[in-house]
Amino acid sequence: MRFLWTFLRIRTTVNPGQYRRALHQKSGETELLKHLRSQLKAAGPITVADYMREVLTNPTAGYYMHKDVFGTQGDFITSPEISQMFGELLGVCCVNEWILGGSPRSMQLLELGPGRGTLAQDMLRVFQQFPMMQDMVSLHLVEVSPKMAAMQEERLTGVIEDDKRKNAASGGDIVYKKRKTKAGVPISWYSDIHDVPRGFSCYIAHEFLDALPVHKFQRTPQGWREVLVDVDDGEGPHHLRFVLSPTPTAACKGFIQAGEKRDHLEVCPQAGVLVQHLANRIVEHGGAALLADYGHDGTKTDTLRGFRNHQLHEVLQEPGSADLTADVDFSYLRHMCAGKDKALTHGPITQREFLENMAIELRLQVLQRNADESQRKDLLSGYDMLTNPDKMGDRFKFFSITRQRTPPKGSRTPSEPAGFYRLEFQ
Ligand SMILES: C[S@@+](CC[C@H](N)C(=O)[O-])C[C@H]1O[C@@H](n2cnc3c(N)ncnc32)[C@H](O)[C@@H]1O
């Protein structure tokens, strides 16, 4: 079966204490472990955020940097890989934003962490259906992994051109690759969103924010302490272990909000800075951001976990060999945008609500009309996987940033982006 339920990255609570249980044999060693161990022995424990950054994006041994992590042969599967309907409906949402923005003469589609490039491909196909949008769309991909960038290039252009720069993260160029899609849409790749030109843009981040590094904090009788990663030469199951900082770290002082009620906390400052940057760009140049991810609204505590081969994997085991991910705290993103004059946030709402508001059933019916029996079955199973509350429907959330705006006079168009209210068809 193509869309196995076990493909989903199912989350459970992880307690740092569980790693202290004694096992006779330690887990395996990886290249990244050797690098981390010498760093820890020389300079002492590091934050969980630094550990996560190394595990996922270390230029030589990071999890995302050199292999295809998706699908049956990989570690997980994502919504755009499950059904074309997902990307198509996000594409329609962007067309609506472009119209609400006064149909500017150029539009940038900017995707953060584009994976295999499937989502961008499905969205661009929608834009091509609108003659008014011809020759005005450009695609901007922010991708740290040279392997993923090569996969995106192949999917979007049909070939991989010889590229002298093998490591996207370590080169000095601002745009590290420029190509055109098969339909002639210009594509540029960047390591950092700050390098993408300013202009009216739709910003898409699907399962990107959950890969950004989180700091972890624990409330103790002595006050807040930060969870750190240290070497474990003792009896623990892995070569690394979690420890608590003996005193409050700078991050404890800077990132924990007054009145915080939870006893354990994850904060992703990089996501906070990113949404502020998006809000600034949107207020100045127009457009909208659609951020979709696993997440909660400021209620969850300990969500960091690993995935390998579609199974949960301990966070400190064989670093670099498994994905690490932490649920997105949407209340924190909203808080970080709150001081941004003229920016509006919307959601989070569930993926099911978003897709149903975008009339996914109608798209399903149209696609089924032209499909054979086996394609119809695939379409139906993809629809179920994306919208079923027990599968991806309620687990994934959509969040959006727009400018403050009032609907045009006489128009019934709400000020929310499409997908955040029910579309009406006459
Ligand atoms: C879980 S995958 C999601 C891929 C895709 N959006 C999807 O839904 O299929 C995360 C993506 O973000 C990229 N990535 C992770 N950390 C990044 C960072 N700090 N900067 C840019 N890209 C990053 C990965 O290489 C990968 O393409």
Side-chain angles (χ1 to χ4, degrees):
M1 196 173 108
R2 194 162 149 224
F3 309 123
L4 287 176
W5 171 231
T6 52
F7 284 7
L8 295 181
R9 299 195 272 174
I10 301 163
R11 295 162 187 281
T12 57
T13 301
V14 176
N15 176 356
Q18 79 188 66
Y19 298 104
R20 291 191 201 111
R21 71 176 187 270
L23 285 185
H24 359 280
Q25 211 182 356
K26 286 199 183 278
S27 54
E29 300 207 13
T30 57
E31 277 309 303
L32 190 64
L33 175 72
K34 290 176 195 156
H35 161 75
L36 285 168
R37 196 161 42 195
S38 45
Q39 187 188 338
L40 292 168
K41 288 204 164 164
I46 55 172
T47 65
V48 171
D50 284 340
Y51 175 73
M52 203 171 161
R53 189 176 296 108
E54 286 287 328
V55 167
L56 295 181
T57 58
N58 177 287
T60 51
Y63 171 76
Y64 278 117
M65 302 308 273
H66 301 289
K67 61 176 179 186
D68 181 3
V69 297
F70 295 88
T72 32
Q73 304 303 310
D75 298 309
F76 55 85
I77 195 157
T78 59
S79 295
E81 302 296 329
I82 286 175
S83 171
Q84 68 184 80
M85 291 184 284
F86 187 83
E88 288 171 349
L89 295 176
L90 265 69
V92 173
C93 180
C94 288
V95 173
N96 189 62
E97 283 306 310
W98 176 72
I99 294 168
L100 281 181
S103 310
R105 286 167 62 98
S106 80
M107 184 180 94
Q108 302 188 144
L109 175 61
L110 191 162
E111 190 180 354
L112 296 143
R116 283 177 165 170
T118 310
L119 180 55
Q121 185 182 43
D122 291 338
M123 293 180 74
L124 288 180
R125 200 172 49 249
V126 171
F127 300 162
Q128 279 157 20
Q129 306 303 310
F130 292 83
M132 285 161 72
M133 294 184 90
Q134 295 315 304
D135 302 326
M136 43 142 300
V137 175
S138 54
L139 178 61
H140 302 263
L141 302 177
V142 178
E143 175 57 74
V144 75
S145 157
K147 173 68 184 175
M148 294 285 169
M151 284 163 51
Q152 291 147 21
E153 181 181 354
E154 186 167 29
R155 170 130 316 166
L156 292 160
T157 70
V159 286
I160 304 180
E161 283 180 30
D162 190 28
D163 200 349
K164 288 190 191 74
R165 183 176 170 184
K166 294 291 178 214
N167 190 337
S170 66
D173 305 342
I174 286 176
V175 181
Y176 65 82
K177 190 155 64 171
K178 272 182 184 274
R179 302 282 186 266
K180 282 197 172 175
T181 67
K182 291 170 214 163
V185 175
I187 323 173
S188 308
W189 277 264
Y190 314 77
S191 300
D192 188 332
I193 188 173
H194 290 86
D195 297 328
V196 181
R198 308 262 166 165
F200 184 95
S201 306
C202 282
Y203 303 91
I204 304 293
H206 180 258
E207 286 220 44
F208 171 73
L209 297 175
D210 72 320
L212 297 183
V214 292
H215 287 265
K216 284 173 84 67
F217 303 103
Q218 179 71 45
R219 194 194 293 275
T220 73
Q222 293 74 41
W224 284 103
R225 295 292 183 266
E226 184 159 7
V227 180
L228 304 172
V229 174
D230 198 2
V231 172
D232 187 354
D233 287 332
E235 290 186 338
H238 311 303
H239 298 276
L240 302 173
R241 62 183 177 139
F242 289 115
V243 295
L244 287 184
S245 63
T247 52
T249 59
C252 291
K253 292 174 192 155
F255 298 142
I256 303 175
Q257 288 170 48
E260 176 57 55
K261 298 274 187 301
R262 287 167 285 180
D263 286 338
H264 188 95
L265 200 59
E266 291 168 345
V267 181
C268 182
Q270 205 175 322
V273 171
L274 173 68
V275 292
Q276 289 189 332
H277 180 73
L278 293 176
N280 283 338
R281 289 175 77 120
I282 289 166
V283 167
E284 273 179 47
H285 303 282
L290 258 186
L291 315 176
D293 231 304
Y294 290 106
H296 60 92
D297 214 4
T299 50
K300 288 200 186 173
T301 56
D302 197 355
T303 72
L304 177 66
R305 69 209 62 204
F307 283 91
R308 187 162 86 180
N309 202 11
H310 306 280
Q311 306 286 333
L312 276 169
H313 185 88
E314 290 196 16
V315 170
L316 298 179
Q317 184 180 349
E318 293 152 26
S321 70
D323 188 19
L324 287 187
T325 159
D327 280 16
V328 174
D329 182 347
F330 290 105
S331 72
Y332 173 68
L333 302 189
R334 207 168 35 236
H335 170 78
M336 293 302 280
C337 288
K340 295 285 151 196
D341 207 17
K342 302 195 183 125
L344 274 184
T345 62
H346 312 271
I349 59 169
T350 64
Q351 173 161 305
R352 175 176 54 83
E353 286 173 285
F354 178 86
L355 295 175
E356 286 176 1
N357 284 344
M358 293 300 296
I360 188 171
E361 325 77 44
L362 289 184
R363 184 65 190 138
L364 175 69
Q365 284 167 21
V366 170
L367 288 169
Q368 280 189 319
R369 252 180 248 147
N370 301 317
D372 63 27
E373 192 51 35
S374 121
Q375 289 168 329
R376 264 201 288 275
K377 265 172 103 180
D378 270 0
L379 282 165
L380 206 57
S381 112
Y383 167 82
D384 181 57
M385 185 67 93
L386 295 180
T387 56
N388 189 326
D390 295 329
K391 298 182 180 173
M392 291 169 131
D394 281 0
R395 196 172 299 245
F396 285 84
K397 310 283 191 302
F398 274 68
F399 181 84
S400 175
I401 307 170
T402 61
R403 274 175 175 171
Q404 282 182 9
R405 58 191 179 198
T406 38
K409 218 171 175 194
S411 152
R412 293 175 56 217
T413 314
S415 57
E416 295 102 323
F420 287 72
Y421 60 94
R422 188 82 191 177
L423 288 180
E424 287 172 29
F425 295 92
Q426 272 130 22

